[in-house]
């Protein structure tokens, strides 16, 4: 059965990759971008199954109008992907008030507005899946992106509460916490504070540390599916590897597979026992979910649906 998607930040990176993947499998997508010209090639390819929507997620009124338009066009909303966001670089002391507020406006409030706008439709139909694109920076923090980390921690906080609030309505909430991927997140998409010379020496040190953490980024190819029965995200590497991201120390738990044979039974799990499922460091493959060999923790894992 085909699904309907509402995906923000669809002009490039994860958003564009997931839009294409959903369309290729026969689904319909309302894709939001700041400039709809960036989707013209996809409209020519997929026709009216793709609804381009010009949107700045910072604008709450515009967000509600966009979601209402998408619902009217698609007939329903099955999957809502809060992907729009950007990275703000700068030491904590360097970040201006305007930069701090802008980071939260997009990464936190933008996702909040989309979620609030979509929930009445999801509640009415008694189903739906909200995918919140967080980051490894939403479970840890790193120098020079402290305000970005703060925005992702905030996203994770309200999403954990949301998961409990909407479960009885048949609505699922999933946090996605990618590690290093081959997108332009640190490039054209990023913003940079004015450097303070006092941090120049440490800035070099921090850059070297970051390079060591993310030395072999993966490439996003497929979207996280809307239900457990079709998970295709599987471990990319097991055990230690100089090319693999190193996860911060966190509790490991063993959880039952969502459905037999569909997900690994063991993964680095969220310490929040009653919180939303978590997809950590997505690494797309075409194989079904499998667990790592005994005694070796998966570096890249699938979450629960």
């Amino acid at each position: 059965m085909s699904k309907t998607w509402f995906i923000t930040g669809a002009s490039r990176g994860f958003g564009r990759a997931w839009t294409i993947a959903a369309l290729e499998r026969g689904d319909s997508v309302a894709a939001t971008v700041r400039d709809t010209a960036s989707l013209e090639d996809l409209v020519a390819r997929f026709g009216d199954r793709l609804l381009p929507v010009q949107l700045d997620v910072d604008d709450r009124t515009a967000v509600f109008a966009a979601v209402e338009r998408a619902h009217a066009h698609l007939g329903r909303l099955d999957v809502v992907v809060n992907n729009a966001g950007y990275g703000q670089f700068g030491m904590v002391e360097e970040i201006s008030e305007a930069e701090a507020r802008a980071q939260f406006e997009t990464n936190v409030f933008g996702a909040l507005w989309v979620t609030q706008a979509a929930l009445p439709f999801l509640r009415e139909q008694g189903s739906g899946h909200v995918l919140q694109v967080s980051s490894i920076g939403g479970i840890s923090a790193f120098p020079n992106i402290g305000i970005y980390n703060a925005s992702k921690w905030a996203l994770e906080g309200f999403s954990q509460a949301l998961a409990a609030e909407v479960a009885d309505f048949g609505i699922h909430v999933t946090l996605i916490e990618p590690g290093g991927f081959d997108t332009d997140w640190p490039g054209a998409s990023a913003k940079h504070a004015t450097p303070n010379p006092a941090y120049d020496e440490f800035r070099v040190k921090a850059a070297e540390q970051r390079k060591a953490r993310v030395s072999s980024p993966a490439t996003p190819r497929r979207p996280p599916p809307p239900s457990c029965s079709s998970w295709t995200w599987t471990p990319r590497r097991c055990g230690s590897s100089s090319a693999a991201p190193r996860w911060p120390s966190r509790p490991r738990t063993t959880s039952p597979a969502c459905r037999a044979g569909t997900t690994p039974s063991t993964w680095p799990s969220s310490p929040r026992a009653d919180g939303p499922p978590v997809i950590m460091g997505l690494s797309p493959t075409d194989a079904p979910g499998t667990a790592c060999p005994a005694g070796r923790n998966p570096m890249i894992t699938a979450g629960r649906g």
Side-chain angles (χ1 to χ4, degrees):
M1 180 179 177
S2 63
K3 300 286 185 180
T4 60
W5 297 66
F6 185 91
I7 303 175
T8 65
S11 63
R12 52 192 171 186
F14 282 129
R16 183 176 176 89
W18 293 340
T19 296
I20 293 172
L23 291 165
E24 285 181 340
R25 75 177 198 171
D27 293 349
S28 297
V29 180
T32 81
V33 291
R34 290 188 177 240
D35 182 1
T36 56
S38 63
L39 296 177
E40 288 179 352
D41 59 324
L42 299 186
V43 172
R45 180 178 171 189
F46 296 104
D48 61 6
R49 285 197 294 113
L50 173 62
L51 174 66
V53 180
Q54 192 280 325
L55 179 65
D56 177 355
V57 297
D58 295 3
D59 185 337
R60 188 174 189 269
T61 300
V63 166
F64 274 72
V67 172
E68 184 173 358
R69 177 188 172 195
H71 183 267
H73 180 84
L74 300 174
R76 62 181 288 117
L77 296 174
D78 294 309
V79 187
V80 176
V81 184
N82 275 310
N83 171 70
Y86 69 94
Q88 173 68 59
F89 285 77
M91 306 299 172
V92 170
E93 184 181 353
E94 295 171 340
I95 300 295
S96 68
E97 178 182 353
E99 289 167 333
R101 291 184 181 278
Q103 180 77 120
F104 272 71
E105 284 289 347
T106 299
N107 291 9
V108 182
F109 291 111
L112 177 61
W113 306 150
V114 171
T115 300
Q116 289 180 333
L119 283 176
F121 298 114
L122 304 187
R123 282 192 290 102
E124 183 179 5
Q125 67 195 28
S127 64
H129 201 151
V130 180
L131 301 179
Q132 309 283 46
V133 182
S134 179
S135 165
I136 186 176
I139 59 173
S140 188
F142 307 102
N144 204 39
I145 53 170
I147 201 66
Y148 171 79
N149 294 143
S151 73
K152 292 303 184 182
W153 281 62
L155 174 67
E156 298 233 350
F158 87 68
S159 297
Q160 179 182 348
L162 175 68
E165 294 166 356
V166 301
D168 289 347
F169 298 114
I171 301 170
H172 301 281
V173 177
T174 299
L175 283 163
I176 303 175
E177 296 164 344
F181 274 76
D182 189 15
T183 70
D184 67 351
W185 178 83
S189 296
K191 296 184 179 180
H192 298 264
T194 301
N196 181 334
Y199 290 93
D200 286 350
E201 184 176 343
F202 178 75
R203 205 180 316 277
V204 174
K205 180 181 177 180
E208 292 173 349
Q209 292 172 342
R210 185 175 187 278
K211 184 177 179 181
R213 287 197 309 270
V214 187
S215 57
S216 180
T219 302
R221 296 190 186 91
R222 293 180 180 274
S227 67
C228 298
S229 59
S230 57
W231 283 124
T232 55
W233 304 91
T234 61
R236 176 161 60 98
R237 300 182 183 90
C238 294
S240 62
S241 167
S242 60
R246 298 187 63 186
W247 294 100
S249 176
R250 55 189 288 114
R252 261 63 172 172
T253 63
T254 301
S255 305
C258 187
R259 292 191 181 125
T262 61
T263 63
S265 60
T266 303
W267 58 80
S269 174
S270 165
R272 306 177 294 268
D274 298 322
V278 174
I279 307 175
M280 300 175 64
L282 302 178
S283 181
T285 74
D286 293 320
T290 55
C292 285
R296 301 174 71 188
N297 289 319
M299 299 299 294
I300 308 295
T301 36
R304 294 163 288 172

